Amino acid sequence: MLADYKIWIGIIAAVMTLAAHIPYLIDTWRGTNKPHMFTWIIWTLLTFIMLAAQVTGGAGAGAWSTGMVLIPCGAIMFLSFTWRGEKDITRSDWIMFVAGIASIPLWAVTDDPLWSVILICAIDALAFGPTFRKAWRKPHEEATFMYGLNVPRHALATLAISHYSLVTALYPVMLVVMNAAMYLMLKLRRRTILT
């Protein structure tokens, strides 16, 4: 019975993944949303890595949401390289990007899965940096819907995990926190800029 429950939660989280990212992708294609390429490069790479870690760690249905995001994440990354993406790249963006990319080889040589996941969480948090900075300055060029829907999506993905450990649960919990912070910042900045 518990396994059926987790399977249904995993399916719902996977569907929510598409529901969150497809509108973001469409808005990017239309030019109303301007993703920061540094963020999406790292997120696409980390999604592949995290999916492998979750599958080998026994996440089960809790990994379905991670796997489902690969295609839209890669498409958004591709569009961020075109005229659709943010072109105002600052020194701090470069620092966060280089730190994130430079940390990936550290992950690769880490023998301990827990340290690998901790590094991946740190890299992912760094990847939020360029988008957070851009969205702070231009909150109307970053869609709030995806971040808002990602909060319950990652919470459900955490509930769907078959085998709980820091290795399988830390990443989706961190994503709940980061997406909530991004969503709240965007909502507050949009309200502040309008008044």
Side-chain angles (χ1 to χ4, degrees):
M1 181 65 174
L2 184 62
D4 291 340
Y5 169 73
K6 289 189 180 282
I7 288 171
W8 282 109
I9 291 174
I11 290 169
I12 292 167
V15 169
M16 287 174 75
T17 299
L18 293 178
H21 288 80
I22 297 300
Y24 189 96
L25 181 59
I26 290 168
D27 286 348
T28 301
W29 180 257
R30 290 181 181 153
T32 57
N33 189 53
K34 302 224 180 261
H36 198 293
M37 69 176 157
F38 286 177
T39 296
W40 288 93
I41 290 168
I42 293 175
W43 283 350
T44 302
L45 290 171
L46 289 183
T47 299
F48 279 109
I49 294 168
M50 222 26 247
L51 179 61
Q54 285 180 323
V55 168
T56 55
W64 296 350
S65 177
T66 305
M68 189 64 70
V69 79
L70 283 173
I71 293 171
C73 195
I76 294 165
M77 179 190 71
F78 173 76
L79 287 175
S80 72
F81 282 103
T82 69
W83 69 97
R84 309 271 193 241
E86 173 63 27
K87 299 300 176 230
D88 179 23
I89 298 174
T90 66
R91 180 177 293 148
S92 66
D93 293 343
W94 276 105
I95 290 168
M96 287 181 270
F97 179 69
V98 169
I101 292 295
S103 299
I104 292 174
L106 289 175
W107 165 82
V109 298
T110 304
D111 258 349
D112 186 345
L114 177 59
W115 279 109
S116 295
V117 171
I118 290 169
L119 277 170
I120 287 172
C121 288
I123 296 165
D124 201 299
L126 284 170
F128 265 94
T131 294
F132 195 90
R133 181 207 51 84
K134 189 263 312 183
W136 179 266
R137 292 179 52 232
K138 303 173 190 175
H140 295 286
E141 289 186 7
E142 191 65 36
T144 59
F145 180 76
M146 182 187 72
Y147 300 104
L149 190 56
N150 275 342
V151 173
R153 171 177 80 91
H154 289 299
L156 286 174
T158 304
L159 290 175
I161 292 172
S162 297
H163 171 74
Y164 286 103
S165 69
L166 280 175
V167 171
T168 61
L170 184 61
Y171 187 65
V173 169
M174 184 273 305
L175 289 173
V176 168
V177 173
M178 296 301 290
N179 279 278
M182 186 71 160
Y183 178 78
L184 292 172
M185 183 277 293
L186 283 167
K187 286 294 194 180
L188 292 172
R189 285 295 290 163
R190 286 179 176 195
R191 190 176 310 156
T192 304
I193 288 178
L194 287 178
T195 57

